[in-house]
Amino acid sequence: MIGFVAGDVHASERISWIATIGIDPDYRRRGIGRELLRACEARLKTQRIRLSVRASNDGAIRLYEQEGYQRLEVWQGYYNDGEAAIVMEKDRGMGSDHAP
Ligand SMILES: CC(C)(COP(=O)(O)OP(=O)(O)OC[C@H]1O[C@@H](n2cnc3c(N)ncnc32)[C@H](O)[C@@H]1OP(=O)(O)O)[C@@H](O)C(=O)NCCC(=O)NCCS
């Protein structure tokens, strides 16, 4: 395995979350993370998708911004070491919500 991604549908809120994504360090910067993200998004039927990322994780934030995510809010002290999380959201604007 060189990478993984998991999506989590919160049907009651009509929002899905990218719960986790990771690529083996030996395989990064080859477009695999972007591809996995898109594959996961394609299986999530909600209009809006969110994720949280460490405030210092510039590479991941750049990827998410390129893929249409915008900064939504900051969760101060979210991680165990006290670092803040940035919550990002992508609104696919389908006009109607396809959530189950
Ligand atoms: C974030 C992560 C999943 C990206 O996976 P990846 O396969 O390397 O990403 P891609 O090759 O698809 O990168 C797509 C674009 O994102 C940006 N990007 C990704 N990693 C970057 C980095 N370290 N520095 C700067 N930009 C970066 C670049 O714009 C890149 O395009 P480019 O290589 O043409 O410049 C991977 O770095 C990772 O597993 N990191 C550790 C775990 C982690 O941080 N997960 C996210 C937690 S929310």
Side-chain angles (χ1 to χ4, degrees):
M1 183 173 76
I2 60 167
F4 56 84
V5 64
D8 185 12
V9 180
H10 293 206
S12 61
E13 302 164 53
R14 298 188 172 185
I15 293 172
S16 298
W17 288 77
I18 303 295
T20 180
I21 182 169
I23 305 298
D24 183 317
D26 290 341
Y27 291 87
R28 289 180 190 166
R29 302 304 293 270
R30 301 185 192 190
I32 300 170
R34 191 194 303 280
E35 210 168 306
L36 275 187
L37 180 62
R38 289 182 178 179
C40 188
E41 289 173 349
R43 288 164 175 74
L44 298 171
K45 302 306 179 192
T46 55
Q47 180 178 323
R48 288 181 293 160
I49 304 176
R50 291 184 184 172
L51 54 81
S52 61
V53 56
R54 281 183 179 269
S56 64
N57 196 345
D58 294 330
I61 292 170
R62 183 182 301 187
L63 167 62
Y64 301 145
E65 286 180 337
Q66 287 173 356
E67 292 301 307
Y69 289 81
Q70 297 181 331
R71 292 163 197 253
L72 187 68
E73 57 188 33
V74 176
W75 293 341
Q76 296 294 346
Y78 177 73
Y79 294 102
N80 285 341
D81 61 3
E83 186 169 355
I86 296 177
V87 179
M88 303 184 76
E89 181 177 275
K90 179 174 185 169
D91 189 334
R92 300 189 279 186
M94 294 182 288
S96 62
D97 194 325
H98 292 218

